[in-house]
Amino acid sequence: MTNRRLYDLAGAEPERRFSPYCWRTRLALAHKGLAVETVPWRFTEKAEIAASGQGLVPVLVDGDKWISDSWTIANYLEDTYPDAPSLFGGPAARSLTRYYSAFADSLVAAMFPFIALDILHHVADKDRDYFRESREKRVGKTLEAFVADRDSKLAAFRGSLAPLRTALKSQPFLGGAEPLYADYALFGPFQWARCISPFALLEEGDPVKLWRDKLLERFGGLARNAPAYDV
Amino acid sequence: MTNRRLYDLAGAEPERRFSPYCWRTRLALAHKGLAVETVPWRFTEKAEIAASGQGLVPVLVDGDKWISDSWTIANYLEDTYPDAPSLFGGPAARSLTRYYSAFADSLVAAMFPFIALDILHHVADKDRDYFRESREKRVGKTLEAFVADRDSKLAAFRGSLAPLRTALKSQPFLGGAEPLYADYALFGPFQWARCISPFALLEEGDPVKLWRDKLLERFGGLARNAPAYDV
């Protein structure tokens, strides 16, 4: 039993968790060795997290504190549990991690043209209209049209990961020999994609995929054991 | 007088130094408080740096040691001068900086379609054929054709800096309150561009430009005082 809970985006199946931002937070909690009860949450359940003052997940409730936004949560965990293993690796490393968090957000946008329609196939019934309408408004076309030419975009997407590939060729994790929050932040989008889509964004043998696969196994296979596609 | 010298890419004017990789190293040396004599070097002067075992700058000669490759040099300086201010900010931060170095390399490639022809206007006479031939072979067209549509590419380039912009909105430097090697690595391409081209890659008011301008002033205006365009 724990007095800590995380509102975690879920699909039609309650166990299919597919927020890139929530995954970061789940790995951050595990890194800190902090138990958490995850609560399946759907896009339209804004009322349930209203106490956080906004309408997006992750929302962490720690005792009587409500904290939202994955970067804010990571900093909260680091500052509130300083004796647990550091998420950042020191003050300079914390500052350097700010960019990784923003870079990871941009990866979510970069992956969306490949998996947008697959997400629709997994969202809860009551979320379908919300998801389709909000996302189609954002991209300016139907989700079907949006993903229609995804194969032709794949080489460019993979090419855009070149700097990440270079770094991961010379060390096991972005944080060094062991992963840090920078790794979890960037892992989030890749885990999001595989939880929701059979589309193979990464090539076999790619150092980025090898890194992702190592993170799948961490914390007793926390990410590996979640419902997902084998890509 | 110092027993340390840096081979530094120069144009027709010996004082016009325009290697994105050498600029990183110059700021790294300044951060460490290490005096250095910079030696103007041209693309075709491979023989002068043959003792480094390769043909690219930066090449640092520190006493009897020859070190090449900007990332290798940064690590050499950190390990050889541990009592001088840290370039990385600790072991985790050093690992996290590896990606920044690779990301900075990708920025050089991303900026090249804007400034390629301007570089040709500044290289030493003896380097002109080498530069044109090697770069036209790389990009598959004449330099004139390569930059012809640069205005139409500018919005996409500026947009690609969004994650950097996000990080720099919340803190003065990537390394935090003060700059670290991650800042110098990314500053290199921006300084390269302004040393060689009047093309305004960054917009007034852009947090990325404000960050760049702060770095220009560091170390007594080391980068600001170099021959460059006011963009």
Side-chain angles (χ1 to χ4, degrees):
Chain A
M1 293 300 294
T2 172
N3 195 24
R4 193 177 296 117
R5 67 184 190 278
L6 179 73
Y7 288 92
D8 193 16
L9 182 66
E13 307 153 81
E15 289 315 308
R16 189 171 301 268
R17 307 298 173 87
F18 68 99
S19 160
Y21 311 104
C22 291
W23 273 109
R24 294 177 191 175
T25 300
R26 290 185 68 179
L27 291 169
L29 285 157
H31 183 100
K32 282 284 189 191
L34 297 169
V36 68
E37 176 201 349
T38 64
V39 181
W41 177 91
R42 274 72 182 216
F43 286 115
T44 46
E45 295 173 346
K46 305 290 187 194
E48 291 198 21
I49 58 171
S52 73
Q54 52 85 64
L56 302 171
V57 290
V59 167
L60 177 68
V61 187
D62 193 20
D64 59 358
K65 294 194 201 70
W66 290 67
I67 312 113
S68 62
D69 176 74
S70 60
W71 178 245
T72 304
I73 292 171
N75 281 278
Y76 166 83
L77 293 174
E78 186 77 347
D79 295 335
T80 307
Y81 303 99
D83 297 334
S86 174
L87 282 171
F88 300 120
R94 187 196 296 226
S95 297
L96 290 171
T97 304
R98 181 68 191 87
Y99 170 77
Y100 281 95
S101 176
F103 172 38
D105 295 350
S106 78
L107 271 186
V108 173
M111 292 181 188
F112 194 62
F114 299 97
I115 67 170
L117 188 61
D118 297 321
I119 298 175
L120 186 70
H121 298 148
H122 283 290
V123 297
D125 279 350
K126 66 178 179 178
D127 278 357
R128 288 179 66 90
D129 289 350
Y130 166 85
F131 182 79
R132 184 183 275 280
E133 284 166 23
S134 62
R135 272 47 176 182
E136 291 187 347
K137 186 174 172 188
R138 188 190 295 169
V139 303
K141 54 181 82 171
T142 66
L143 294 178
E144 286 78 1
F146 187 54
V147 303
D149 60 346
R150 64 182 179 178
D151 289 332
S152 69
K153 295 173 177 167
L154 186 57
F157 170 75
R158 289 176 175 174
S160 75
L161 302 176
L164 194 54
R165 198 167 286 126
T166 298
L168 292 170
K169 274 182 189 169
S170 69
Q171 54 194 45
F173 296 100
L174 297 163
E178 294 294 326
L180 291 171
Y181 188 75
D183 291 280
Y184 308 141
L186 282 173
F187 173 78
F190 291 102
Q191 173 73 350
W192 167 59
R194 65 181 285 283
C195 283
I196 216 75
S197 172
F199 191 77
L201 283 165
L202 296 173
E203 221 168 356
E204 288 303 323
D206 183 345
V208 179
K209 186 166 192 290
L210 298 171
W211 159 85
R212 190 210 66 172
D213 288 350
K214 281 184 287 191
L215 286 167
L216 287 176
E217 306 306 335
R218 289 272 154 164
F219 313 117
L222 176 64
R224 171 71 79 193
N225 297 333
Y229 291 92
D230 187 25
V231 286
Chain B
M1 292 303 293
T2 172
N3 196 25
R4 194 176 294 117
R5 67 184 189 277
L6 179 72
Y7 289 92
D8 192 16
L9 182 66
E13 307 152 83
E15 290 316 308
R16 188 170 301 269
R17 306 298 173 87
F18 68 100
S19 160
Y21 312 104
C22 291
W23 273 110
R24 296 177 190 175
T25 300
R26 289 184 69 179
L27 290 170
L29 285 158
H31 182 101
K32 281 284 190 192
L34 298 170
V36 68
E37 176 201 349
T38 65
V39 182
W41 178 91
R42 275 70 182 215
F43 286 114
T44 46
E45 295 172 347
K46 305 289 187 194
E48 292 198 21
I49 57 171
S52 72
Q54 52 84 64
L56 302 171
V57 290
V59 167
L60 177 69
V61 187
D62 194 19
D64 59 358
K65 293 194 201 70
W66 289 67
I67 311 113
S68 62
D69 177 73
S70 59
W71 179 244
T72 305
I73 292 171
N75 281 278
Y76 167 83
L77 293 175
E78 186 77 347
D79 295 334
T80 308
Y81 303 99
D83 297 333
S86 173
L87 282 171
F88 301 120
R94 186 195 297 226
S95 296
L96 290 171
T97 304
R98 181 68 192 87
Y99 169 77
Y100 282 95
S101 176
F103 171 38
D105 295 350
S106 78
L107 271 186
V108 173
M111 291 181 189
F112 194 61
F114 299 97
I115 66 169
L117 188 60
D118 298 321
I119 298 174
L120 186 69
H121 298 148
H122 283 289
V123 297
D125 279 350
K126 66 178 179 180
D127 278 357
R128 289 181 65 89
D129 290 349
Y130 166 84
F131 182 79
R132 183 184 277 279
E133 284 165 23
S134 62
R135 271 48 176 182
E136 292 187 347
K137 186 174 174 190
R138 187 188 298 171
V139 303
K141 53 180 81 173
T142 66
L143 294 178
E144 286 78 1
F146 187 53
V147 303
D149 60 347
R150 64 181 178 177
D151 289 332
S152 68
K153 295 174 178 167
L154 186 56
F157 170 74
R158 290 176 174 173
S160 76
L161 302 176
L164 194 55
R165 200 167 285 127
T166 298
L168 293 171
K169 275 182 187 169
S170 69
Q171 55 193 44
F173 296 100
L174 297 163
E178 295 293 326
L180 290 171
Y181 187 76
D183 291 280
Y184 309 141
L186 283 174
F187 173 77
F190 290 102
Q191 173 72 350
W192 167 59
R194 65 181 284 282
C195 283
I196 215 75
S197 172
F199 190 77
L201 283 166
L202 296 172
E203 221 168 356
E204 288 303 323
D206 183 344
V208 179
K209 186 167 193 288
L210 298 172
W211 159 85
R212 190 210 67 174
D213 288 351
K214 281 183 288 191
L215 287 166
L216 287 176
E217 306 308 333
R218 288 272 153 163
F219 313 117
L222 176 63
R224 170 72 78 192
N225 297 332
Y229 292 92
D230 186 25
V231 285

